């Protein structure tokens, strides 16, 4: 997803990947490695005793490990129900060396490729209707997961959204979100949601808005995302999620090239939002026993307690 880091970081992470393979009793597979931002993570295929698998290596300076991003994948495995398709975490090892903390995560191999090698779509995706239905269902089920994790903090929204968008957000309606929903973190044509380090509570519509904004270079695709998630995006509550997603992209544009390329489109979209009042009453979605979606009260609101919604997708660890 990102280019390889500077040589000293690259060599350190490649060496640590070899150590991770030894700890887990697996063999590195040639080619196909994927770098995270600034070389913080390195992922790629491996061969485990029971067949092909995937290894994700994450690093932080010694003493800086732990916290939301570090624990995200492990906590997703404990808290997110199987109705939300994601890679199964099958092994985990931690160690420290030469001033760095490392975590190696071994996953079930996802055979379907990412929809795009880049987070930002550059062409049509040609996904079947069933894929879109499954994505709506997955996000609807995820929305009901109870967690104390935060994908986005209210303090950030109150401070940064006005700074980067010119909008002042009102009441925030909270739900549980993937937290990094873009085209490189979705597989197809069989749906899997990848990269769970940042999941947690976020404003309603935040995930859908992120996918929409990452689709802007392909108007037909952006229109499809907007249509599929109109039930959250075209609401006052969803507008806050959308403004939050816009803010994060504009803030990241100074350091991430593909967000710099996307920033003009995001600013144009903000101008459109200025001229378009948010829709009717805010609503969240829930998954019924038949797998359909109905309006339902959001599970979190600022200053209020959680609302229990008794549906098949209700889940807590």
């Amino acid at each position: 997803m990102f280019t390889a880091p500077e040589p000293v970081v690259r060599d350190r992470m490649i060496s640590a990947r070899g150590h991770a393979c030894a700890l887990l009793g697996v063999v590195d597979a040639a080619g196909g490695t994927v770098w995270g931002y600034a070389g913080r993570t390195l992922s790629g295929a491996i061969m485990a005793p029971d067949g092909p698998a995937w290894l994700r290596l994450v690093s932080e300076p010694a003493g800086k490990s732990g916290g939301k991003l570090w624990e995200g994948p492990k906590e997703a495995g404990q808290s997110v129900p199987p109705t939300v398709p994601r890679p199964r975490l099958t092994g985990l090892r931690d160690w420290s060396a030469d001033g760095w903390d490392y975590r190696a995560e071994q996953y079930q191999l996802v055979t379907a490729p990412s929809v795009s090698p880049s987070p930002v779509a550059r062409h049509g995706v040609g996904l079947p209707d069933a894929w879109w239905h499954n994505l709506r269902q997955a996000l609807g089920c995820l929305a009901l997961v109870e967690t104390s994790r935060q994908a986005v903090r209210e303090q950030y929204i109150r401070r940064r959204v006005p700074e980067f968008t010119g909008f002042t957000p009102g009441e925030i309606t909270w739900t549980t979100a993937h937290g990094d929903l873009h085209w490189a973190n979705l597989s197809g044509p069989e749906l899997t949601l990848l990269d769970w380090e940042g999941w947690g509570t976020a404003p309603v519509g935040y995930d859908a808005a992120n996918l929409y904004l990452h689709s802007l270079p392909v108007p037909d695709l952006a229109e499809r995302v907007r249509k599929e998630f109109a039930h959250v995006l075209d609401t006052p509550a969803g507008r806050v999620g959308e403004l939050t997603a816009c803010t994060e992209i504009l803030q990241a544009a100074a350091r991430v090239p593909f967000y710099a390329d996307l920033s003009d489109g995001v600013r144009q979209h903000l101008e459109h939002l200025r001229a378009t009042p948010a829709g009717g009453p805010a609503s969240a979605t829930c998954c019924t026993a038949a797998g359909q979606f109905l309006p339902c009260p959001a599970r979190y609101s600022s200053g209020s307690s959680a609302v229990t919604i008794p549906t098949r997708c209700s889940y807590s660890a």
Side-chain angles (χ1 to χ4, degrees):
M1 209 162 44
F2 293 89
T3 58
E6 58 182 342
V8 64
V9 177
R10 180 198 63 202
D11 294 346
R12 175 178 59 80
M13 289 293 284
I14 290 173
S15 175
R17 179 176 167 86
H19 184 66
C21 288
L23 289 176
L24 291 165
V26 300
V27 178
D28 202 349
T33 54
V34 179
W35 288 99
Y37 179 70
R40 176 179 170 270
T41 64
L42 175 60
S43 304
I46 53 173
M47 182 61 69
D50 57 350
W54 188 261
L55 175 63
R56 178 178 182 266
L57 175 68
V58 58
S59 66
E60 293 287 358
K64 300 293 186 181
S65 60
K68 182 187 80 170
L69 298 181
W70 189 267
E71 299 294 345
K74 179 181 177 181
E75 292 178 351
Q78 297 167 341
S79 301
V80 178
T83 48
V84 181
R86 65 188 189 284
R88 184 168 56 91
L89 181 63
T90 60
L92 187 149
R93 297 289 188 277
D94 292 332
W95 77 97
S96 298
D98 301 324
W100 290 88
D101 293 339
Y102 295 95
R103 170 165 286 184
E105 300 162 350
Q106 180 180 333
Y107 291 94
Q108 158 199 17
L109 183 67
V110 176
T111 56
S114 293
V115 174
S116 168
S118 167
V120 181
R122 301 299 181 189
H123 52 75
V125 296
L127 294 164
D129 290 343
W131 187 94
W132 292 98
H133 169 83
N134 292 340
L135 179 61
R136 291 196 312 271
Q137 177 170 304
L139 296 182
C141 292
L142 176 61
L144 302 178
V145 173
E146 296 182 6
T147 182
S148 60
R149 292 175 53 85
Q150 294 178 301
V152 186
R153 294 178 296 109
E154 181 170 1
Q155 181 182 13
Y156 175 88
I157 296 170
R158 299 293 182 198
R159 179 180 179 185
R160 296 301 185 186
V161 168
E163 177 184 347
F164 282 90
T165 72
F167 288 84
T168 300
E171 181 180 6
I172 303 172
T173 304
W174 299 94
T175 188
T176 300
H178 174 273
D180 196 19
L181 198 72
H182 54 63
W183 293 108
N185 280 342
L186 294 166
S187 74
E190 182 179 350
L191 174 67
T192 306
L193 280 69
L194 309 170
D195 190 0
W196 284 84
E197 70 174 12
W199 74 282
T201 55
V204 163
Y206 175 77
D207 275 345
N210 262 311
L211 193 60
Y212 172 75
L213 295 172
H214 285 81
S215 307
L216 287 176
V218 186
D220 288 347
L221 179 58
E223 182 180 355
R224 179 66 186 265
V225 175
R226 198 84 198 180
K227 175 183 175 182
E228 295 290 341
F229 293 99
H231 60 283
V232 289
L233 291 176
D234 294 343
T235 68
R239 177 64 59 90
V240 178
E242 192 164 10
L243 292 172
T244 303
C246 289
T247 296
E248 291 183 333
I249 289 173
L250 293 176
Q251 186 176 32
R255 65 181 188 275
V256 181
F258 55 75
Y259 285 148
D261 294 341
L262 191 59
S263 61
D264 284 346
V266 171
R267 292 188 181 95
Q268 290 173 15
H269 179 61
L270 285 169
E271 291 304 313
H272 174 74
L273 292 182
R274 275 181 235 287
T276 309
S283 65
T285 58
C286 66
C287 179
T288 69
Q292 298 172 325
F293 286 84
L294 299 172
C296 66
R299 198 170 53 77
Y300 297 97
S301 291
S302 295
S304 65
S305 58
V307 177
T308 301
I309 305 169
T311 70
R312 179 173 64 85
C313 292
S314 294
Y315 185 87
S316 60

